[in-house]
Amino acid sequence: MTARMDEADTSAGKGLGRRGFIGAVAALTGTALTAGPAAATSADAAAPTAAATADQSLPPNAVSLVPISKGAVTAAVARLDKVIRDLIQRTGVPGVATAVVHDGKVVFSRAYGVRDVTTKAPVTVDTVFQLASVSKPLAATAVARGVHLKKVQWTDTIASHLPGFTLQDPYVGSHVTIEDMLAHRSGLPHAAGDLLEDLGYPRDVILERLRLEPLTPMRTLYNYSNFGYTSGGAAAARAAGMSWEDFADAMLFRPLGMATASYRYADFVSRPNRSAMHVRVDGVWQQRYTRDADPEAPAGGGSASVVDLAKWMMLQLAEGAWNGSPFIDPDVLRVMRTPAIVLSPPKPAIGRSSFSGQGLDISDDAAARVRWSHSGAFFQGAATQVILLPSAGLGIVTLTNGMPVGLPEAIGASFLDLVEASTVQRDWLAGYGGLFAASMANTSKLAGKTPPANPTPAQPNAFYVGTYDNAFYGSIQVVDQVGTLRLLIGPHPNDYPLTHWDGNEFAFYPTGENAAGITAADFTPNAGGTHAARVVLEYYDNDGLGTFTLH
């Protein structure tokens, strides 16, 4: 991160970085936001009957009763450029690249705008973008290749390959598998470990401290966890005797010729044709931040161009074949696309559900066609999506260099509407944009409030000064610097001024990908009232781990 996003950055998003929110958004393509009955009844008038087009070798549950008319994909591709330009105009996102593959060929590959609003360098189809959580389906594909080569198994336990790994419940820690972690069904809470990454802890420390996170019963609930996912990727790589980064290169990127793809941030910043990150501040897109996601590389640290992601889509749509030859056994790859846990239950009851596979979200659209998708977002300035319609041999990927406002999702949903229904069924940008805007709301008890006009006075600064211990986040220091209390937290550490609010309550502004604006620090006196005994940091207390005790 290169700068502080504080209260002044109101339109860049109070609540930026809602932890793991993108996992839920990814599932909404084809489910909760899918257009209603019109999408299932408005196929081209000249469309042949389902009976005339259905593959009789397929089981009934693999056939849609609403056929895609002949030429529909070609017609949709012809209209896609205008759709993208219109959506860019509405959002102002600085740079976009989109690719479409159909029946094993790239049928659309275009770039729009600039890589950086400061340099004005143009985006090309070879521009490398940070993928955020679109890294996950690539990672799962690399693991699938490892399974194909018998270097690892989906059902291998994490502990069998990462010595010392455990979770709060030792039974879960010893039995949770790679498959569990890649499907977000381990029992770890939503976004476990993300704030440790924001503080600057390395991957090995974060994975070790997952043992302190509270658990729900294993394999019963979907909880999106970047570092749970990362443990799955790291375990698979260790089984093959490699680092994660080398494993992904060997299993996927080099064999497919994905020359721009990497899970190393150093590789990304070395690319001359790379995109910067942008946030929208008071309606103006600005380049303010950088994001090194190496600690969570399998879950969010990938980078690539749309040209290279098109290769990955072709591999997936060809059932694991590459250049006409088997590359990943279809039965191995099928595990990746098989529902492993309910992601989004039907609301209302007559609605469609969605599921998590291994790095892919699986849903049925309004025409009863299966979709595989994933969205990605860095709230400091990147938004991405890939969505595949396997029954049509069709996939679309969109990479952008702006904070998430629903643009990649709107492009993907609009394009598939054109394919399946010949018209865009609803204002997808408004729908997805509203979801992202809601996710950015700051939930702090201090958000949107002004300090009391007549607050209870604070104690002298010396009352609060000291070292406070916490097993999960590490020790913090509260220091008095020229009359100002400051909170020092993290391995570097981060330095946050504490502003008095009321009594023993202070306000501060965290920074990082998950920063949400103002938050509270509440000190509790010791029994004698002579010094603070502990402090609860509201922002770090999401899983009940935010209490720091005086050393």
Side-chain angles (χ1 to χ4, degrees):
M1 192 189 71
T2 59
R4 166 180 162 179
M5 177 171 288
D6 57 22
E7 195 81 323
D9 299 332
T10 52
S11 67
K14 283 186 178 183
L16 277 183
R18 298 296 78 209
R19 297 182 285 276
F21 171 79
I22 197 63
V25 170
L28 292 175
T29 302
T31 55
L33 277 184
T34 300
T41 59
S42 58
D44 293 350
T49 65
T53 59
D55 184 342
Q56 299 302 310
S57 67
L58 293 174
N61 68 349
V63 177
S64 171
L65 294 180
V66 183
I68 295 175
S69 62
K70 185 178 180 180
V73 173
T74 300
V77 167
R79 298 168 64 182
L80 181 56
D81 179 72
K82 183 179 187 305
V83 167
I84 295 172
R85 291 182 185 277
D86 289 347
L87 291 169
I88 291 174
Q89 184 175 25
R90 289 176 59 186
T91 62
V93 170
V96 177
T98 298
V100 176
V101 301
H102 183 228
D103 289 344
K105 299 178 181 178
V106 177
V107 295
F108 183 95
S109 182
R110 295 189 190 177
Y112 307 83
V114 297
R115 306 197 307 256
D116 188 325
V117 295
T118 304
T119 66
K120 307 297 184 184
V123 177
T124 72
V125 295
D126 295 311
T127 296
V128 181
F129 289 79
Q130 290 180 279
L131 302 180
S133 285
V134 166
S135 303
K136 290 181 174 70
L138 297 182
T141 308
V143 173
R145 173 66 173 170
V147 174
H148 170 86
L149 295 176
K150 303 188 184 309
K151 295 180 180 295
V152 66
Q153 295 298 318
W154 293 114
T155 54
D156 284 359
T157 64
I158 304 298
S160 67
H161 299 304
L162 298 183
F165 179 90
T166 190
L167 296 175
Q168 189 180 78
D169 182 333
Y171 177 88
V172 176
S174 62
H175 286 78
V176 68
T177 67
I178 292 171
E179 187 174 15
D180 293 325
M181 288 299 193
L182 300 191
H184 304 289
R185 66 179 191 185
S186 67
L188 284 168
H190 197 67
D194 283 7
L195 293 183
L196 291 175
E197 181 188 21
D198 278 1
L199 289 173
Y201 285 102
R203 184 188 306 167
D204 60 342
V205 171
I206 299 172
L207 296 186
E208 189 274 331
R209 292 187 186 177
L210 292 180
R211 65 185 170 81
L212 300 172
E213 290 274 14
L215 296 175
T216 55
M218 182 171 59
R219 300 170 189 155
T220 61
L221 292 174
Y222 170 91
N223 281 319
Y224 193 83
S225 170
N226 287 316
F227 282 95
Y229 198 98
T230 294
S231 73
R238 184 72 63 86
M242 303 180 189
S243 69
W244 167 255
E245 295 75 13
D246 289 344
F247 180 80
D249 288 346
M251 295 297 107
L252 186 65
F253 297 153
R254 285 201 298 269
L256 266 60
M258 298 173 66
T260 68
S262 175
Y263 280 98
R264 301 177 187 85
Y265 183 69
D267 289 345
F268 170 72
V269 297
S270 73
R271 313 289 191 202
N273 185 0
R274 71 180 184 279
S275 180
M277 299 169 66
H278 300 84
V279 292
R280 189 166 57 189
V281 182
D282 296 330
V284 178
W285 288 94
Q286 301 179 14
Q287 200 291 305
R288 289 193 170 196
Y289 304 100
T290 60
R291 177 78 160 91
D292 178 351
D294 276 357
E296 61 169 71
S303 58
S305 68
V306 292
V307 169
D308 278 343
L309 286 175
K311 297 173 184 177
W312 172 83
M313 291 194 295
M314 286 189 282
L315 173 72
Q316 285 286 336
L317 293 168
E319 288 296 307
W322 182 245
N323 288 335
S325 299
F327 183 73
I328 301 175
D329 186 320
D331 287 337
V332 170
L333 200 60
R334 194 167 294 122
V335 174
M336 182 177 168
R337 288 99 61 109
T338 296
I341 193 79
V342 176
L343 191 165
S344 177
K347 295 180 181 179
I350 62 172
R352 289 177 293 278
S353 298
S354 61
F355 306 87
S356 178
Q358 309 297 302
L360 277 176
D361 302 324
I362 303 158
S363 60
D364 298 321
D365 67 20
R369 292 188 181 89
V370 172
R371 294 185 182 186
W372 304 327
S373 66
H374 211 293
S375 287
F378 289 154
F379 284 80
Q380 292 177 315
T384 60
Q385 192 208 35
V386 60
I387 182 166
L388 304 174
L389 194 67
S391 61
L394 183 65
I396 179 170
V397 59
T398 296
L399 308 179
T400 80
N401 59 8
M403 61 185 284
V405 293
L407 179 59
E409 293 80 10
I411 290 172
S414 298
F415 174 68
L416 291 186
D417 273 358
L418 293 176
V419 170
E420 292 187 308
S422 77
T423 60
V424 177
Q425 295 293 298
R426 62 172 292 174
D427 187 345
W428 293 104
L429 184 62
Y432 282 110
L435 286 172
F436 279 109
S439 79
M440 295 178 188
N442 187 357
T443 59
S444 169
K445 60 184 178 179
L446 304 184
K449 297 180 180 178
T450 57
N454 297 295
T456 301
Q459 299 287 337
N461 280 1
F463 179 87
Y464 306 102
V465 167
T467 298
Y468 297 79
D469 294 333
N470 180 289
F472 187 72
Y473 292 107
S475 296
I476 64 170
Q477 287 185 299
V478 177
V479 299
D480 183 346
Q481 293 184 359
V482 196
T484 298
L485 287 175
R486 306 185 77 90
L487 167 66
L488 306 180
I489 182 171
H492 297 312
N494 292 11
D495 182 349
Y496 301 135
L498 295 174
T499 302
H500 182 246
W501 190 269
D502 188 26
N504 290 321
E505 185 170 62
F506 292 77
F508 69 103
Y509 295 88
T511 57
E513 166 65 17
N514 298 288
I518 192 170
T519 188
D522 291 291
F523 291 87
T524 299
N526 61 16
T530 59
H531 199 282
R534 63 182 180 273
V535 59
V536 176
L537 302 181
E538 180 190 27
Y539 177 61
Y540 297 101
D541 200 38
N542 190 55
D543 297 325
L545 298 171
T547 297
F548 297 74
T549 304
L550 186 68
H551 183 74

